[in-house]
Amino acid sequence: MRDPAICGGQPTVRGTRVLVRTILGYLAHGEPAERIVAEFPSLTTDDVRAIIAFAARSASEDLPAPNPLPSALTRTSGA
């Protein structure tokens, strides 16, 4: 959720002031959802899953569409 009045408009978990990027940092360092929830009692494991889904959607919006593979790479060997 983005609200200019909360955390400068940075994405937060709905109903909290926990920044999405903070949780993504924990995940990037290999922290399991259970540990994150223990550190941030206002979050649930469903919230952590929602953050991962948000990041995936955001990445797909920012990335260009993949180019098709050249035909030489799509052929199987021995064909």
Side-chain angles (χ1 to χ4, degrees):
M1 165 176 183
R2 291 179 191 243
D3 180 341
I6 299 173
C7 299
Q10 295 183 51
T12 59
V13 178
R14 181 172 290 151
T16 73
R17 291 184 179 269
V18 178
L19 295 174
V20 167
R21 69 184 173 112
T22 299
I23 304 307
L24 289 173
Y26 274 76
L27 291 166
H29 284 95
E31 294 294 339
E34 294 77 16
R35 172 100 189 256
I36 294 168
V37 170
E39 293 284 326
F40 297 89
S42 62
L43 301 184
T44 66
T45 53
D46 285 341
D47 291 327
V48 175
R49 284 190 212 98
I51 290 167
I52 295 167
F54 171 82
R57 280 192 311 276
S58 295
S60 69
E61 291 172 4
D62 293 339
L63 296 174
N67 293 325
L69 290 174
S71 59
L73 295 177
T74 58
R75 290 186 210 139
T76 59
S77 61

